[in-house]
Each structure stands twice: as C-alpha cells, then as structure tokens.
Amino acid sequence: MPASRTKHSTTRPQTVSQTLTEPQQAKHATLSAPVATTPPKPDSHRGSLRSDTPLETLENASPVVDEAQDIRDKLAEQRRAALSDLGKLPTVGDSALDELYRDIVSERRIDAFLAKSTLYDLERQVWVDIPSGTEDKTNLTPVFVRVIKAIIDELGHSKSTREIVDARNTKFWHLDDRTQSSNPCMAIKAAGPSFSLPHGGNGVGFDNAASVFDVKRDADVCEDDADQLAVYNRQLFFHQLNRVFSRSLLFTETRVRLVHCDRSGGYKTAWLNVHDHPRTFIRLILGLSSPRESALGLDTSVQWTIKNGAKVAGTIATLDASGKKVKHQLMMGVPYFVKHSVRGSGTVCWIARDKAGRRILIKDAWRTDAQVPEYTFLEHAKGVAGVAQILATEDGRVQTKTHRPGGFDFASPDFYNRTMCRVTMECYGSPLHNFTSQRHALAALRDAIKAHWDLLQAGILHRDVSMENILLGEDGAPVGRRGILIDLEFAILTGGPTAGLLTENQAGTYLYQSASILRNGPSGDRAFFRVAHDYLHDLDPKSAIGRFENLDAFEASCTKQLYLMREGPNFWGIPLFWSEASLDLGESFCAYMYKLTEAKLKCRMRRKSSSSSTHTLLQELYNRLHHHYHDIIGLFDVALERLERDGEAPRREKSEPASVPSTPPVSCFPPEPRSAQKRRSDDVLDDRPAKQQRSVSFADRHVSQQTECD
C-alpha cells in the first residue's frame, strides 16, 4: 500500500512492468544520487541532449559522438516506456492553451505588466530578450529563465514558494528505475505541503518540482522532444503520490506547446507563438507555478508537514461511514502500496490512524465509466471472514474528462474517462511474500482459499487471485483470518461458480491466469469452446510462474499444463527452507488441480463435444464445487498438522552435512526471471487489450519521507 520509501529489502522476486527497460532493473539501489549543485556553464554541453546546444558542436570528437548516441538511446528508451504506459497522446489545437488558467490572473494586470516591462515590446509584439533569428546562437535557457522569473516575481504571489531554476546541470533521478535520470532545461522549484527535497537534501528534483520545461531551437525541435515531456510528467506522478494530473512545457525561440498527463493518458497541444500571444504565455507560466497546489494538479486532501525539507507528518481527508468529513493521520515510516503506472487505476493505498488510534487503509483508485465500483463488491463481502472489510466510501472525487480541453474527442477509442474513488478499509498485515515461517505462509494461503469459497457463496467471483492480492493476517489472527483476500476491482457478481458471461479480454493478472483461461483468446482457441471465468481458474497453481509471463497465451497455457502434468514443484529446485510437508502439499495440490484442468479442457474440446454438451459436462464438474474447496483446504490442513507435529525442519541435501538456517532465505520461491511482470487484462478497466501495469510490492513501496530523508 503506498507513500514513501522503505529501507528493508524484499524476500521475493519482483514483477516488473513491460513499460520499464528490462536491461535496467537495478531499481532497488539507493533512492537517488546527490543532486549537482554547481551552476550551469553558459553554452556548455551538460552530458545530455536535453539542452538547447546545437548537436553539431558534439560531433567534433568521436568519444563525444559516442556519448551523444548513448544519451539518445537512453532517452529513446525512456520515451518508449512512458508512451507504453500512457498510450497514444493525441494532439489538440493551440486554442487549448488559451483556455487554461483563465482565472489565474486578470487581463488588466497582465496588460499593466506588459506595458511597463522592458521584457516585451508591445509595438513590435516580441519578447525582447528572446532571439527569433535563426542566425542568433544565443543560449535560450538562461533567457527564458530571466523572462519566467520576472513573470513569477511580478504576478505570481508565490511568496518565495515557487522559483524558476536552470536545471541543465541537475540530474532528476527516476523512481521506477534508479539507473535512469532526466535533465530538463528548467524546473519550477516548489515548497509547500506536497513537496519535499530530493534525496540528498538540496537542489531540485521530481520530488519538489511543480513543473518542468525544455527548450529547443526551431531548427532542431522534433516530436520526440514533446514526448520527452511525457517522461517528466510520468515521474512527477511517481514522486508526488497525490498527483491528479501533471503538465510541462516545450519552448523554442518562437513557440510553446504543452503536454498534459492523467489517469486516462494525456494529450499534447499544437504549437502557439509566444510573441503573438504574450498573455497566454504569461498565464501558462503563472498556472504551472501557482501557489495553489490544486492548480498544479495536486490533490490537496492529502497534505504533509515539512520539516527541514522532509515529510515528517501528514493527513488525509475523506468521508466517514455517515458521510461526514473526517481527517486521518498518515502513518509515516510505514510501507504503502503504489502502482508505478499512470494510465489505469493508479492505485495508491495510504496507511493511517483514525481518531480512535486504529490502523486503517485508505485506497485511492480510478475506474472507467463501464466498471462496477470495487466498493460494490466490498459491501456485498461485509462479514465474510478472510476478505478485506470496508468502512467508508467517497466516490466521484474527480473525473479525468474534466481536465481535457474543449473540443477534445471523447469518442476516441483511445480515451476512457476515469473517476477517482477513495475507500476506507480495515488494515491488515504485510503481503503474503513477507511470511516468517512455513506455517505462516500455508495458514495464510489456506484461509485465503476458504475466503474465496465463502466469497463465492456470497455471490462474488474474485477473478484476480495473485501473490499481491493476499495479505497476511494480523499477529495472533484466528483460523479463517490468517490470510486476507484483497483487491476486488476485477470481481463480478455471480449466482454460481462462473462469471456467467464471456468477454473479449480475460480479467485478472496475466501472470496468474490459469492454463484453461489462457485458451480463451479473443477469437477463441480453434480446438476449444470458450468458457466464462470460474472458481477453478482462481484456484490454479501459481508456482514457478515467472517463466510464463513473456509467452503468448497458447504457449503459456501449454507450459502451465506441462508443469501440472510432469514437472510439479520439485522440478524447479525448491529452496531447502521448505520442509517435506510443504513439498508434499505442493505435489498433492498440483496433482489435484491437474485432474480438474484436464477434465475441463476435455469438456471444451470441439472434436469431442458440441457447445451444449460442453455446458452439460462443465455443469457436472461444477456440481462438485464444494467438494473441490473442501478437498483443497483439507490438503492444507494436513500439511499444517504435520508442521505442527514434526516442526519446520528444512530439508538437507545428501551432500550437505551442515545445518540449514530455519529462517526464510532471500527468496523462498523457485527462480523467476527479472523480467517477470504483473500484467493485467480485463473487460473494461483499461483502454488496452492487455493491461500492463507494474504493481510495487510492500518492500519496494514508498515509505514516508521521514524515512526517505534519514
């Protein structure tokens, strides 16, 4: 669940989004490197192509050429990752710029500023210091810094909380990939309840940037330069967890364009001439440097107390069960959960304490108009042991369509309006992979399976069972509450064992989809009739799953069948931490599920049955639903009884005379490739056929800025 950065390490391989560059997954390094504080040298190349220095000056020496090419390659990787997350950014007309920030300052004050300032020549209609001739090679960034500073100082009313800085010699470190950084030309350095100093304590970075700007020459600028702004905007979301939207600007000596990003993706504007439209130019600067955090795209219901540049305390405002406004204290230094993706549900889970001192979890998420709100299922699940319990809901907080300009094509197949909802729930323990013993892990799994059964009997099919969606119960939790099933975003109301409908895309996390559901491709597998998602898909084994992620659906299905039929847990070299009782459970569970998987696939085979007979055969299988759950829970109970009776002594290799530690190793799981990712595909949640989002584990989550800055 979200907010700043923890110092302890994870105990299991992480799933990594395809939006990240796979060769660069050293993301568990230190938060960031120290920020350079030396002032930029005029007309100097700063080790990045983000400056306005002509590329020709870099090509005089081959080492510099090699460095420049390396920089270009890295920037291209960053853009690919950003656009893979955000999707296609449509271009809207330049009138969109004139619509923005109309209430930020009066026309009278702008006209007075232009009349008395020496920066703008009203008669010639030009910004005097900004050279417009192609023959003039003046470095543009310092010129824009002077102009923007004058605008903020004269019209901004920011009381020194906003400052334009030349950032060309400053590395803005990325949060999702610690090997990556950005070098915007300028940044609006901000101070206030949502901004903390970047790691290292000084300067400017994505943690305390209200917005960032780039500068290029008209002769050199290209579409890649606008796309680079999407990289910056995305990082602003990652570093500032209360972001609703982010915006940045691209300047040339004559023009400006804006890139906007939010949970529905974003848009770019067409170019606007800054000399012909000085008032729009001024409003853009004042809007993106506004002392009002809401104007910057920040959710002001989440606020922090800043001390010496660090977040030391915080509050989150929402509604209680009776609909009254209430403010909770954020728990600083506690691991939170945040998805490192912008477009999509944008889940952020805050850990807080209510007035009674009870720990609560507050979940912010964005859903499409067609999606049934998660709180609908949580309300149905009230009282079901082992399922997250809802306390209050605040729906309709904001919609992405309200941040799109007039004339925007809302009918575009690439746009899905999203609504932000805040749900308050009871707080539980850590994710499943943070277990401390074999019994701890198996008891949590056992109770999560029982909760899935009870949830189904309450008329809800979960459809997204995964490692990330099972939490450990609180210390000393009774049987039935030792494992907690969470995240009902993909759930569906059902009167039986199946979802009851077929959809073009399958719900749930791709990595954890069953062998059978993977044969339910968009057009259907020619060998099998398509079937609706059912409870058996949720119960399918998830062992050694990392190798399935990058396969297509057919290959992944066959590989999972092979695992069930021939390989099993022992084939993948289970760590010695796991005892014989645990291994026997894994083998028994695989054997049991293999029979059910084979039975289901045979029911669906076109050459052996018709559609109607498939339905009949599946119904015969589903008639034993309660037997299936009873048998599987029984397997776990037997294993837990063995562990209670015989202890958790780890296995020992025959050639290993020394004792093996009885505590979990760095990874208690079979090897997974580093490129394993959490990829979700669903019916209506996302705009893309296959949802690809990164879910950050508890140990890789934001923790409070107090911890981050220690």
Side-chain angles (χ1 to χ4, degrees), residues 546-590:
R547 65 198 177 110
F548 305 131
E549 177 63 24
N550 291 320
L551 303 175
D552 65 28
F554 179 81
E555 291 176 335
S557 174
C558 293
T559 305
K560 288 189 176 185
Q561 283 180 263
L562 177 64
Y563 176 84
L564 289 172
M565 179 175 64
R566 299 275 183 170
E567 297 174 351
N570 281 319
F571 182 85
W572 287 91
I574 300 300
L576 298 179
F577 166 81
W578 298 101
S579 66
E580 292 295 339
S582 297
L583 256 66
D584 289 347
L585 168 62
E587 292 287 348
S588 300
F589 181 60
C590 278

CSV table of all heavy atoms in Angstrom, one decimal, residues 546-590:
chain,number,residue,atom,x,y,z
A,546,GLY,N,7.2,-17.1,-13.1
A,546,GLY,CA,7.9,-16.0,-13.8
A,546,GLY,C,8.1,-16.4,-15.3
A,546,GLY,O,8.1,-15.5,-16.1
A,547,ARG,N,8.4,-17.7,-15.6
A,547,ARG,CA,8.7,-18.0,-16.9
A,547,ARG,C,7.5,-18.0,-17.9
A,547,ARG,O,7.6,-18.1,-19.1
A,547,ARG,CB,9.3,-19.5,-16.9
A,547,ARG,CG,8.3,-20.5,-16.5
A,547,ARG,CD,9.1,-21.8,-16.1
A,547,ARG,NE,8.2,-22.8,-15.6
A,547,ARG,CZ,7.9,-24.0,-16.3
A,547,ARG,NH1,8.4,-24.2,-17.4
A,547,ARG,NH2,7.1,-24.8,-15.7
A,548,PHE,N,6.3,-17.9,-17.3
A,548,PHE,CA,5.1,-17.9,-18.2
A,548,PHE,C,4.8,-16.5,-18.7
A,548,PHE,O,4.1,-16.3,-19.7
A,548,PHE,CB,3.9,-18.3,-17.4
A,548,PHE,CG,4.0,-19.7,-16.7
A,548,PHE,CD1,3.7,-19.9,-15.4
A,548,PHE,CD2,4.5,-20.8,-17.5
A,548,PHE,CE1,3.8,-21.1,-14.8
A,548,PHE,CE2,4.6,-22.0,-16.9
A,548,PHE,CZ,4.3,-22.2,-15.6
A,549,GLU,N,5.4,-15.4,-18.1
A,549,GLU,CA,4.9,-14.1,-18.4
A,549,GLU,C,5.1,-13.6,-19.8
A,549,GLU,O,4.2,-13.0,-20.4
A,549,GLU,CB,5.6,-13.1,-17.4
A,549,GLU,CG,5.2,-11.6,-17.6
A,549,GLU,CD,3.8,-11.4,-17.4
A,549,GLU,OE1,3.1,-12.1,-16.6
A,549,GLU,OE2,3.2,-10.4,-18.0
A,550,ASN,N,6.2,-13.9,-20.4
A,550,ASN,CA,6.5,-13.4,-21.7
A,550,ASN,C,6.1,-14.3,-22.8
A,550,ASN,O,6.5,-14.0,-24.0
A,550,ASN,CB,8.0,-13.0,-21.8
A,550,ASN,CG,8.4,-11.9,-20.9
A,550,ASN,OD1,7.6,-10.9,-20.8
A,550,ASN,ND2,9.5,-12.0,-20.2
A,551,LEU,N,5.4,-15.4,-22.5
A,551,LEU,CA,4.9,-16.2,-23.6
A,551,LEU,C,3.5,-15.7,-24.0
A,551,LEU,O,2.8,-15.0,-23.3
A,551,LEU,CB,4.8,-17.7,-23.0
A,551,LEU,CG,6.0,-18.3,-22.4
A,551,LEU,CD1,5.7,-19.7,-21.8
A,551,LEU,CD2,7.1,-18.5,-23.5
A,552,ASP,N,3.2,-16.1,-25.3
A,552,ASP,CA,1.8,-15.8,-25.7
A,552,ASP,C,0.9,-16.7,-24.9
A,552,ASP,O,1.3,-17.7,-24.3
A,552,ASP,CB,1.7,-15.8,-27.2
A,552,ASP,CG,1.8,-17.2,-27.8
A,552,ASP,OD1,1.6,-18.2,-27.0
A,552,ASP,OD2,2.2,-17.3,-28.9
A,553,ALA,N,-0.4,-16.4,-25.0
A,553,ALA,CA,-1.4,-17.2,-24.2
A,553,ALA,C,-1.3,-18.7,-24.5
A,553,ALA,O,-1.4,-19.5,-23.5
A,553,ALA,CB,-2.8,-16.6,-24.5
A,554,PHE,N,-1.2,-19.1,-25.7
A,554,PHE,CA,-1.2,-20.5,-26.0
A,554,PHE,C,0.0,-21.2,-25.4
A,554,PHE,O,-0.1,-22.3,-24.8
A,554,PHE,CB,-1.3,-20.7,-27.6
A,554,PHE,CG,-1.2,-22.2,-28.0
A,554,PHE,CD1,-2.4,-23.0,-28.0
A,554,PHE,CD2,0.0,-22.8,-28.4
A,554,PHE,CE1,-2.3,-24.3,-28.3
A,554,PHE,CE2,0.0,-24.1,-28.7
A,554,PHE,CZ,-1.2,-24.9,-28.7
A,555,GLU,N,1.2,-20.6,-25.6
A,555,GLU,CA,2.4,-21.2,-25.1
A,555,GLU,C,2.4,-21.2,-23.6
A,555,GLU,O,2.8,-22.2,-22.9
A,555,GLU,CB,3.6,-20.5,-25.6
A,555,GLU,CG,3.9,-20.7,-27.1
A,555,GLU,CD,5.0,-19.8,-27.6
A,555,GLU,OE1,5.3,-18.8,-26.9
A,555,GLU,OE2,5.6,-20.2,-28.6
A,556,ALA,N,1.9,-20.2,-23.0
A,556,ALA,CA,1.8,-20.1,-21.5
A,556,ALA,C,0.8,-21.2,-21.0
A,556,ALA,O,1.1,-21.8,-20.0
A,556,ALA,CB,1.3,-18.7,-21.1
A,557,SER,N,-0.3,-21.4,-21.7
A,557,SER,CA,-1.2,-22.4,-21.3
A,557,SER,C,-0.6,-23.8,-21.3
A,557,SER,O,-0.7,-24.6,-20.4
A,557,SER,CB,-2.5,-22.4,-22.2
A,557,SER,OG,-3.3,-23.5,-21.9
A,558,CYS,N,0.1,-24.1,-22.4
A,558,CYS,CA,0.7,-25.4,-22.6
A,558,CYS,C,1.8,-25.6,-21.5
A,558,CYS,O,2.0,-26.7,-21.0
A,558,CYS,CB,1.3,-25.5,-24.0
A,558,CYS,SG,0.1,-25.6,-25.3
A,559,THR,N,2.6,-24.5,-21.2
A,559,THR,CA,3.7,-24.6,-20.3
A,559,THR,C,3.1,-24.9,-18.9
A,559,THR,O,3.7,-25.7,-18.1
A,559,THR,CB,4.5,-23.3,-20.3
A,559,THR,OG1,5.0,-23.1,-21.6
A,559,THR,CG2,5.7,-23.5,-19.4
A,560,LYS,N,2.0,-24.2,-18.6
A,560,LYS,CA,1.4,-24.5,-17.3
A,560,LYS,C,0.8,-25.9,-17.2
A,560,LYS,O,0.9,-26.5,-16.1
A,560,LYS,CB,0.3,-23.4,-17.0
A,560,LYS,CG,0.8,-22.0,-16.7
A,560,LYS,CD,-0.2,-21.1,-16.3
A,560,LYS,CE,0.4,-19.7,-15.9
A,560,LYS,NZ,-0.6,-18.8,-15.3
A,561,GLN,N,0.3,-26.4,-18.2
A,561,GLN,CA,-0.2,-27.8,-18.2
A,561,GLN,C,0.9,-28.7,-18.0
A,561,GLN,O,0.8,-29.7,-17.3
A,561,GLN,CB,-0.9,-28.1,-19.6
A,561,GLN,CG,-2.3,-27.5,-19.7
A,561,GLN,CD,-3.0,-27.8,-21.0
A,561,GLN,OE1,-3.0,-27.1,-21.9
A,561,GLN,NE2,-3.5,-29.0,-21.1
A,562,LEU,N,2.1,-28.5,-18.7
A,562,LEU,CA,3.2,-29.3,-18.5
A,562,LEU,C,3.7,-29.3,-17.1
A,562,LEU,O,4.1,-30.3,-16.5
A,562,LEU,CB,4.4,-28.8,-19.4
A,562,LEU,CG,5.7,-29.6,-19.3
A,562,LEU,CD1,5.6,-31.0,-19.7
A,562,LEU,CD2,6.8,-28.9,-20.1
A,563,TYR,N,3.6,-28.1,-16.4
A,563,TYR,CA,4.0,-28.0,-15.0
A,563,TYR,C,3.1,-28.9,-14.2
A,563,TYR,O,3.6,-29.7,-13.3
A,563,TYR,CB,4.0,-26.6,-14.6
A,563,TYR,CG,4.2,-26.4,-13.1
A,563,TYR,CD1,5.6,-26.3,-12.6
A,563,TYR,CD2,3.2,-26.3,-12.2
A,563,TYR,CE1,5.8,-26.1,-11.3
A,563,TYR,CE2,3.5,-26.2,-10.8
A,563,TYR,CZ,4.8,-26.0,-10.4
A,563,TYR,OH,5.0,-25.9,-9.1
A,564,LEU,N,1.8,-28.8,-14.4
A,564,LEU,CA,0.9,-29.6,-13.6
A,564,LEU,C,1.1,-31.1,-13.9
A,564,LEU,O,1.0,-31.9,-13.0
A,564,LEU,CB,-0.5,-29.2,-13.9
A,564,LEU,CG,-1.0,-27.8,-13.5
A,564,LEU,CD1,-2.4,-27.5,-14.0
A,564,LEU,CD2,-1.0,-27.8,-11.9
A,565,MET,N,1.3,-31.5,-15.1
A,565,MET,CA,1.3,-32.9,-15.5
A,565,MET,C,2.6,-33.6,-15.3
A,565,MET,O,2.6,-34.7,-14.8
A,565,MET,CB,1.0,-33.0,-17.0
A,565,MET,CG,0.9,-34.4,-17.6
A,565,MET,SD,0.4,-34.4,-19.3
A,565,MET,CE,1.7,-33.5,-20.1
A,566,ARG,N,3.7,-33.0,-15.5
A,566,ARG,CA,5.0,-33.6,-15.5
A,566,ARG,C,6.0,-33.1,-14.4
A,566,ARG,O,6.7,-33.9,-13.8
A,566,ARG,CB,5.7,-33.5,-16.9
A,566,ARG,CG,4.9,-34.2,-18.0
A,566,ARG,CD,5.2,-35.6,-18.1
A,566,ARG,NE,4.5,-36.2,-19.2
A,566,ARG,CZ,4.7,-37.5,-19.6
A,566,ARG,NH1,5.6,-38.2,-19.1
A,566,ARG,NH2,4.0,-38.0,-20.6
A,567,GLU,N,6.0,-31.8,-14.3
A,567,GLU,CA,7.1,-31.2,-13.5
A,567,GLU,C,6.8,-31.1,-12.0
A,567,GLU,O,7.4,-31.8,-11.2
A,567,GLU,CB,7.4,-29.8,-14.1
A,567,GLU,CG,7.8,-29.8,-15.5
A,567,GLU,CD,8.0,-28.4,-16.1
A,567,GLU,OE1,7.6,-27.4,-15.4
A,567,GLU,OE2,8.5,-28.3,-17.2
A,568,GLY,N,5.8,-30.3,-11.7
A,568,GLY,CA,5.5,-30.1,-10.3
A,568,GLY,C,6.6,-29.3,-9.5
A,568,GLY,O,7.6,-28.9,-10.1
A,569,PRO,N,6.4,-29.0,-8.3
A,569,PRO,CA,7.3,-28.2,-7.5
A,569,PRO,C,8.7,-28.6,-7.5
A,569,PRO,O,9.7,-27.8,-7.6
A,569,PRO,CB,6.7,-28.2,-6.1
A,569,PRO,CG,5.3,-28.5,-6.3
A,569,PRO,CD,5.2,-29.4,-7.4
A,570,ASN,N,8.9,-29.9,-7.3
A,570,ASN,CA,10.3,-30.5,-7.2
A,570,ASN,C,11.2,-30.2,-8.4
A,570,ASN,O,12.4,-30.2,-8.3
A,570,ASN,CB,10.3,-31.9,-6.8
A,570,ASN,CG,10.0,-32.2,-5.4
A,570,ASN,OD1,10.5,-31.5,-4.5
A,570,ASN,ND2,9.1,-33.2,-5.1
A,571,PHE,N,10.5,-30.1,-9.6
A,571,PHE,CA,11.3,-30.0,-10.8
A,571,PHE,C,12.1,-28.7,-10.8
A,571,PHE,O,13.1,-28.6,-11.5
A,571,PHE,CB,10.3,-30.0,-12.0
A,571,PHE,CG,11.0,-29.9,-13.3
A,571,PHE,CD1,11.4,-31.1,-14.0
A,571,PHE,CD2,11.1,-28.7,-14.0
A,571,PHE,CE1,12.0,-31.0,-15.2
A,571,PHE,CE2,11.7,-28.6,-15.2
A,571,PHE,CZ,12.2,-29.8,-15.8
A,572,TRP,N,11.6,-27.7,-10.1
A,572,TRP,CA,12.3,-26.4,-10.2
A,572,TRP,C,13.2,-26.1,-9.0
A,572,TRP,O,13.5,-24.9,-8.8
A,572,TRP,CB,11.2,-25.3,-10.3
A,572,TRP,CG,10.6,-25.3,-11.7
A,572,TRP,CD1,9.5,-26.0,-12.1
A,572,TRP,CD2,11.1,-24.7,-12.8
A,572,TRP,NE1,9.3,-25.8,-13.4
A,572,TRP,CE2,10.2,-25.0,-13.9
A,572,TRP,CE3,12.2,-23.8,-13.0
A,572,TRP,CZ2,10.5,-24.5,-15.2
A,572,TRP,CZ3,12.4,-23.3,-14.3
A,572,TRP,CH2,11.5,-23.7,-15.4
A,573,GLY,N,13.6,-27.1,-8.3
A,573,GLY,CA,14.6,-26.9,-7.3
A,573,GLY,C,14.1,-26.0,-6.2
A,573,GLY,O,14.6,-24.9,-5.9
A,574,ILE,N,13.1,-26.5,-5.4
A,574,ILE,CA,12.6,-25.7,-4.3
A,574,ILE,C,13.6,-25.5,-3.3
A,574,ILE,O,14.4,-26.4,-2.9
A,574,ILE,CB,11.4,-26.5,-3.7
A,574,ILE,CG1,10.3,-26.7,-4.8
A,574,ILE,CG2,10.8,-25.7,-2.5
A,574,ILE,CD1,9.7,-25.5,-5.4
A,575,PRO,N,13.8,-24.3,-2.8
A,575,PRO,CA,14.8,-24.0,-1.7
A,575,PRO,C,14.7,-24.9,-0.5
A,575,PRO,O,13.6,-25.4,-0.2
A,575,PRO,CB,14.5,-22.5,-1.3
A,575,PRO,CG,13.9,-21.9,-2.6
A,575,PRO,CD,13.1,-23.0,-3.2
A,576,LEU,N,15.8,-25.2,0.1
A,576,LEU,CA,15.8,-26.1,1.2
A,576,LEU,C,15.0,-25.6,2.4
A,576,LEU,O,14.7,-26.4,3.3
A,576,LEU,CB,17.3,-26.4,1.7
A,576,LEU,CG,18.2,-27.0,0.6
A,576,LEU,CD1,19.6,-27.2,1.1
A,576,LEU,CD2,17.6,-28.4,0.1
A,577,PHE,N,14.7,-24.4,2.5
A,577,PHE,CA,13.9,-23.8,3.6
A,577,PHE,C,12.6,-24.6,3.7
A,577,PHE,O,12.1,-24.8,4.8
A,577,PHE,CB,13.6,-22.4,3.2
A,577,PHE,CG,12.5,-21.8,4.1
A,577,PHE,CD1,12.7,-21.3,5.4
A,577,PHE,CD2,11.2,-21.6,3.6
A,577,PHE,CE1,11.7,-20.8,6.1
A,577,PHE,CE2,10.2,-21.1,4.3
A,577,PHE,CZ,10.4,-20.7,5.6
A,578,TRP,N,12.0,-25.1,2.6
A,578,TRP,CA,10.7,-25.7,2.6
A,578,TRP,C,10.9,-27.2,3.1
A,578,TRP,O,11.7,-27.9,2.5
A,578,TRP,CB,10.0,-25.6,1.3
A,578,TRP,CG,9.7,-24.2,0.9
A,578,TRP,CD1,10.4,-23.4,0.0
A,578,TRP,CD2,8.7,-23.4,1.4
A,578,TRP,NE1,9.8,-22.2,-0.1
A,578,TRP,CE2,8.7,-22.2,0.8
A,578,TRP,CE3,7.6,-23.7,2.3
A,578,TRP,CZ2,7.9,-21.1,1.1
A,578,TRP,CZ3,6.7,-22.6,2.6
A,578,TRP,CH2,6.8,-21.4,1.9
A,579,SER,N,10.1,-27.6,4.0
A,579,SER,CA,10.2,-29.0,4.5
A,579,SER,C,9.5,-30.0,3.6
A,579,SER,O,8.8,-29.6,2.7
A,579,SER,CB,9.6,-29.0,5.9
A,579,SER,OG,8.2,-28.8,5.9
A,580,GLU,N,9.6,-31.3,4.0
A,580,GLU,CA,9.0,-32.3,3.2
A,580,GLU,C,7.4,-32.1,3.2
A,580,GLU,O,6.7,-32.4,2.3
A,580,GLU,CB,9.3,-33.7,3.7
A,580,GLU,CG,10.8,-34.1,3.4
A,580,GLU,CD,11.1,-34.2,2.0
A,580,GLU,OE1,10.2,-34.4,1.2
A,580,GLU,OE2,12.3,-34.1,1.6
A,581,ALA,N,6.9,-31.7,4.4
A,581,ALA,CA,5.5,-31.5,4.5
A,581,ALA,C,5.0,-30.4,3.5
A,581,ALA,O,3.9,-30.6,2.8
A,581,ALA,CB,5.1,-31.0,5.9
A,582,SER,N,5.7,-29.4,3.3
A,582,SER,CA,5.3,-28.3,2.4
A,582,SER,C,5.5,-28.8,1.0
A,582,SER,O,4.6,-28.5,0.1
A,582,SER,CB,6.2,-27.1,2.6
A,582,SER,OG,6.0,-26.5,3.9
A,583,LEU,N,6.5,-29.6,0.7
A,583,LEU,CA,6.7,-30.1,-0.7
A,583,LEU,C,5.6,-31.1,-1.0
A,583,LEU,O,5.1,-31.1,-2.2
A,583,LEU,CB,8.1,-30.8,-0.8
A,583,LEU,CG,9.1,-29.9,-1.6
A,583,LEU,CD1,9.4,-28.7,-0.8
A,583,LEU,CD2,10.4,-30.8,-1.9
A,584,ASP,N,5.2,-31.9,-0.1
A,584,ASP,CA,4.2,-32.9,-0.3
A,584,ASP,C,2.8,-32.2,-0.6
A,584,ASP,O,2.1,-32.6,-1.4
A,584,ASP,CB,4.0,-33.8,0.9
A,584,ASP,CG,5.2,-34.8,1.0
A,584,ASP,OD1,5.9,-34.9,0.1
A,584,ASP,OD2,5.3,-35.4,2.1
A,585,LEU,N,2.6,-31.1,0.1
A,585,LEU,CA,1.4,-30.3,-0.2
A,585,LEU,C,1.4,-29.8,-1.6
A,585,LEU,O,0.4,-29.8,-2.3
A,585,LEU,CB,1.3,-29.1,0.8
A,585,LEU,CG,0.3,-28.0,0.5
A,585,LEU,CD1,-1.1,-28.6,0.5
A,585,LEU,CD2,0.4,-26.9,1.4
A,586,GLY,N,2.6,-29.2,-2.0
A,586,GLY,CA,2.7,-28.7,-3.4
A,586,GLY,C,2.4,-29.8,-4.4
A,586,GLY,O,1.7,-29.6,-5.4
A,587,GLU,N,3.0,-31.0,-4.2
A,587,GLU,CA,2.8,-32.1,-5.2
A,587,GLU,C,1.3,-32.5,-5.2
A,587,GLU,O,0.7,-32.8,-6.2
A,587,GLU,CB,3.7,-33.2,-4.8
A,587,GLU,CG,5.2,-33.0,-5.0
A,587,GLU,CD,5.6,-33.0,-6.4
A,587,GLU,OE1,4.8,-33.4,-7.3
A,587,GLU,OE2,6.7,-32.5,-6.7
A,588,SER,N,0.7,-32.6,-4.0
A,588,SER,CA,-0.7,-33.1,-3.9
A,588,SER,C,-1.6,-32.1,-4.6
A,588,SER,O,-2.5,-32.4,-5.3
A,588,SER,CB,-1.1,-33.3,-2.5
A,588,SER,OG,-0.2,-34.3,-1.9
A,589,PHE,N,-1.3,-30.8,-4.3
A,589,PHE,CA,-2.2,-29.7,-4.9
A,589,PHE,C,-2.1,-29.7,-6.4
A,589,PHE,O,-3.1,-29.6,-7.1
A,589,PHE,CB,-1.8,-28.4,-4.3
A,589,PHE,CG,-2.6,-27.2,-4.8
A,589,PHE,CD1,-3.9,-27.2,-4.6
A,589,PHE,CD2,-2.0,-26.2,-5.5
A,589,PHE,CE1,-4.7,-26.1,-5.0
A,589,PHE,CE2,-2.7,-25.1,-5.9
A,589,PHE,CZ,-4.1,-25.1,-5.7
A,590,CYS,N,-0.9,-29.9,-6.9
A,590,CYS,CA,-0.7,-29.9,-8.4
A,590,CYS,C,-1.4,-31.1,-9.0
A,590,CYS,O,-2.1,-31.0,-10.0
A,590,CYS,CB,0.8,-30.0,-8.7
A,590,CYS,SG,1.6,-28.4,-8.7
